[in-house]
């Protein structure tokens, strides 16, 4: 895994946006896997800024979001469909018919999940998957103990994630208990993964993900098996990495052609 330690979330997000823009410029019909939460907000600002300056055309891009709360429709302000419209889709030119987000109101959830997987396949697979990391080591909403081969399905959130995400709701009781999420196996099939993590609260999860054993106890650790995964963190999120100096050394000694 490539680990890039940056001075700030602003720098990390700019770098991540340059990577994503590079993928789209090389392949205008790229398929992007997208995430919600606090972490990617500046990343979306960066991409929207590039678009506004005429530097990034997303007209042919297809997107698949990682997850959605069940019971929340796209008009619910805490739904991820709402989040994506608010923070990204309303600011760029992605064709609405090429935007995919799991349907939190799906009646037949297993059938909907199978259709979601089929839609990813039909689009040619995900070229770049953006990921955040939960403080408990989840990716998507694959909580600890998730199968590392799992596919898109219904998951029950654990209490820690409900607490972490309660900041978006009036109270923890309002956080839905269930979500539809791409599985770890689904995520691992993306051609490239780009993980962002910021702040001290993510330091333990980041260390376990990068340097710990691969275990369902830390679903993000499955990314150690991914052939092309880049993690971009700020200093506080990197603070528990044993090999931080080595990662900095590698980055500073990158051959010019590998730089973004
Ligand atoms: C969001 C998602 C989650 C978040 C994670 C971190 O679509 O899949 O895995 O990336 O919970 O959330 P934040 O960024 O709010 O700390």
């Amino acid at each position: 895994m490539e680990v890039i330690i940056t001075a700030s979330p602003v720098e990390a997000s700019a770098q991540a946006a340059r990577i994503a823009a590079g993928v789209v410029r090389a392949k205008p019909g790229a398929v992007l896997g997208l995430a919600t939460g606090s972490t990617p907000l500046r990343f979306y600002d960066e991409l929207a800024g590039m678009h506004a300056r005429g530097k990034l055309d997303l007209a042919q891009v297809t997107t698949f979001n990682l997850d959605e709360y069940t019971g929340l429709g796209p008009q619910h302000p805490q739904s991820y469909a709402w989040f994506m419209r608010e923070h990204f889709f309303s600011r760029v030119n992605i064709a609405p018919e090429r935007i995919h987000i799991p349907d939190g109101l799906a009646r037949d959830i297993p059938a909907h999940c199978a259709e979601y997987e089929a839609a990813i396949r039909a689009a040619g697979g995900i070229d770049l998957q953006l990921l955040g990391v939960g403080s408990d080591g989840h990716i998507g909403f694959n909580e600890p103990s998730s199968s590392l081969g799992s596919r898109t399905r219904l998951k029950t959130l654990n209490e820690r994630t409900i607490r972490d995400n309660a900041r978006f709701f009036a109270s923890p009781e309002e956080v839905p208990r269930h979500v539809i999420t791409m599985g770890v196996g689904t995520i691992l099939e993306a051609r490239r993964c780009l993980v962002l993590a910021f702040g001290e609260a993510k330091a333990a999860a980041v260390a376990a993900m990068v340097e710990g054993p691969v275990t369902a106890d830390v679903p993000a650790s499955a990314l150690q098996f991914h052939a092309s995964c880049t993690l971009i963190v700020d200093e506080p999120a990197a603070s528990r990495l044993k090999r931080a100096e080595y990662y900095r050394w590698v980055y500073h000694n990158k051959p010019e052609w590998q730089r973004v």
Side-chain angles (χ1 to χ4, degrees), residues 91-246:
R91 307 161 73 192
V92 293
N93 65 334
I94 301 175
E97 65 276 15
R98 281 199 282 275
I99 290 172
H100 303 84
I101 302 178
D103 179 1
L105 299 179
R107 291 252 191 98
D108 183 341
I109 290 178
H112 178 62
C113 293
E115 282 163 18
Y116 204 71
E117 290 270 336
I120 294 173
R121 278 195 301 277
I126 291 173
D127 292 298
L128 180 72
Q129 177 66 58
L130 177 71
L131 296 161
V133 188
S135 64
D136 63 358
H138 69 228
I139 46 173
F141 271 134
N142 296 284
E143 298 283 35
S145 82
S146 289
S147 156
L148 300 186
S150 51
R151 313 299 309 185
T152 303
R153 68 209 184 292
L154 183 79
K155 280 295 288 179
T156 307
L157 296 180
N158 65 28
E159 287 182 31
R160 181 165 179 179
T161 300
I162 290 171
R163 253 192 340 267
D164 282 353
N165 287 6
R167 66 190 190 281
F168 298 111
F169 292 81
S171 70
E173 289 66 47
E174 280 186 28
V175 183
R177 271 32 184 173
H178 297 106
V179 294
I180 295 173
T181 180
M182 281 186 202
V184 179
T186 319
I187 292 168
L188 289 178
E189 278 172 15
R191 290 182 189 93
R192 182 164 184 193
C193 287
L194 179 57
V195 192
L196 297 177
F198 307 137
E200 171 95 55
K202 300 292 174 73
V206 163
M209 162 188 169
V210 179
E211 296 172 341
V214 173
T215 165
D217 215 33
V218 182
S221 67
L223 292 166
Q224 291 177 32
F225 280 124
H226 198 283
S228 181
C229 179
T230 300
L231 165 70
I232 310 184
V233 288
D234 64 358
E235 295 282 353
S239 59
R240 294 176 71 168
L241 287 168
K242 284 194 309 257
R243 296 184 196 283
E245 280 320 308
Y246 174 65

Side-chain angles (χ1 to χ4, degrees), residues 245-256:
E245 280 320 308
Y246 174 65
Y247 307 136
R248 287 195 180 91
W249 164 262
V250 171
Y251 186 70
H252 287 119
N253 287 288
K254 254 183 184 234
E256 208 43 54

